[in-house]
Amino acid sequence: MNGKRVCVVGMGVMGSGIVQVCAQAGYDVSVVSRSEESLKRGLEKIKKDVSRFVKKGHIKQEEADGIVNAITANATTSLEEGAKGADFVIEAVYENMELKQAVFRELDRICPEHAILGSNTSTFPITALAAVTERPDKVIGVHFMNPVPLMKGVEVIKALMTSEDTISKTLEFVHSLGKETVTVKDSPGFVTSRMMCLILNEAVKMRENELASIEDIDKILRLSFNWPLGPFQLLDLIGIDIVTAVLNTIYNETGWERFKPAVLMTQMVRAGRTGRKAGRGFYEYE
């Protein structure tokens, strides 16, 4: 990739992880978030995650301090300030199409002509984001997995107008982060979200039908498939509201009944039991 300036828009769980891996790979990375409070939360998370790398002996304390200080120095609530000189932008804001399109309109106005505009969306068609810009050939999906610092796979999504040059530069960039890629066509949910959300939805339906307890469904799938987490543990980690939203998006786009969210999942969201971030989901958390 030409240039070393990366901008990440969004400082949630995914955004903070993407910022961290970019900084660890030596990129000059800026981060933009909607508020000082969300920036503070994201920076605290990065400090904790980087400290784990130090404890495990993967990096030295001086390197960890340098990474955190560099990110802190380039953290802002101004999209104009954060993105104005970027060579590569990764949008990682909340999964809301109108919000994402608004961000892409602004990025198209702010960023240099050569800049590639990527989205970490797990759900929405990249073509719909590219359509609001004057550079659809430079818009691409870059879907990282959670937790970003640990997970190797990245789904690269080619929109209808994405150029081969953009794909090539994106692959080069993602590989430089120490990740492995698979390139897929633009489609609701792509490969990873479509597959995983289907499994998670089926697990909730099994519980609705009282096939087994939540704990036992998690246990048998961990033991049988060598998963580190069972489906209900994973739902709580990702966010039950997020999985429900992904399922609804795929269902509304395709009409495929198998993606209609389980009733229990929808009820959990209505009750505010959205997972770890809420302190309660299918399990209770401190």
Side-chain angles (χ1 to χ4, degrees):
M1 184 182 77
N2 294 329
K4 295 277 285 184
R5 183 67 186 267
V6 177
C7 174
V8 178
V9 184
M11 196 57 155
V13 172
M14 296 301 292
S16 60
I18 296 168
V19 171
Q20 181 182 330
V21 297
C22 289
Q24 287 181 195
Y27 284 96
D28 177 12
V29 56
S30 62
V31 58
V32 182
S33 194
R34 66 184 184 278
S35 68
E36 293 291 345
E37 183 182 352
S38 59
L39 274 179
K40 184 178 178 181
R41 283 199 306 269
L43 289 169
E44 285 299 320
K45 183 180 184 304
I46 290 170
K47 287 179 185 178
K48 289 179 182 178
D49 289 348
V50 171
S51 69
R52 291 192 185 101
F53 280 85
V54 174
K55 289 177 181 177
K56 292 180 179 179
H58 297 315
I59 59 175
K60 294 182 179 179
Q61 186 62 55
E62 307 85 70
E63 186 181 351
D65 292 341
I67 290 168
V68 172
N69 291 338
I71 294 171
T72 303
N74 290 306
T76 178
T77 57
S78 167
L79 187 62
E80 187 96 34
E81 181 181 336
K84 61 184 177 183
D87 302 300
F88 202 108
V89 181
I90 304 171
E91 168 274 311
V93 303
Y94 186 74
E95 288 291 280
N96 176 284
M97 177 57 88
E98 290 182 1
L99 173 60
K100 288 180 181 290
Q101 287 181 323
V103 170
F104 268 78
R105 286 190 188 95
E106 284 299 289
L107 289 173
D108 189 41
R109 177 183 65 81
I110 295 166
C111 294
E113 288 186 9
H114 71 271
I116 293 173
L117 309 183
S119 176
N120 183 60
T121 181
S122 59
T123 314
F124 295 120
I126 305 302
T127 301
L129 299 176
V132 302
T133 76
E134 298 296 324
R135 61 179 91 190
D137 60 312
K138 290 184 172 63
V139 177
I140 193 165
V142 193
H143 182 206
F144 290 81
M145 303 299 133
N146 186 26
V148 178
L150 299 180
M151 300 298 284
K152 283 286 188 181
V154 176
E155 207 171 25
V156 174
I157 303 104
K158 180 185 184 300
L160 185 64
M161 300 295 288
T162 307
S163 70
E164 290 301 320
D165 182 62
T166 296
I167 295 171
S168 176
K169 289 177 179 175
T170 300
L171 293 175
E172 178 188 347
F173 166 61
V174 176
H175 293 158
S176 74
L177 303 178
K179 305 296 184 184
E180 296 186 28
T181 58
V182 171
T183 304
V184 304
K185 291 182 179 179
D186 196 14
S187 176
F190 321 123
V191 172
T192 53
S193 294
R194 186 187 294 191
M195 181 66 73
M196 184 53 67
C197 288
L198 199 61
I199 294 170
L200 299 180
N201 200 35
E202 189 61 31
V204 179
K205 290 178 181 178
M206 288 177 185
R207 179 58 200 142
E208 284 181 338
N209 295 331
E210 299 184 348
L211 267 68
S213 68
I214 288 169
E215 292 81 4
D216 281 348
I217 292 172
D218 273 349
K219 178 181 178 181
I220 193 62
L221 291 184
R222 287 198 310 268
L223 295 174
S224 300
F225 302 139
N226 202 28
W227 291 355
L229 299 174
F232 293 100
Q233 293 171 311
L234 191 54
L235 275 160
D236 280 358
L237 177 65
I238 296 170
I240 300 165
D241 54 334
I242 292 174
V243 175
T244 303
V246 173
L247 285 164
N248 273 317
T249 297
I250 299 174
Y251 175 62
N252 292 333
E253 285 271 341
T254 64
W256 295 331
E257 282 292 323
R258 63 186 182 273
F259 287 100
K260 189 173 183 178
V263 173
L264 176 57
M265 196 181 296
T266 301
Q267 289 175 333
M268 295 286 283
V269 176
R270 288 172 178 161
R273 299 185 66 98
T274 54
R276 285 179 177 269
K277 60 188 174 185
R280 57 183 189 163
F282 287 104
Y283 295 94
E284 300 284 338
Y285 301 91
E286 291 292 335

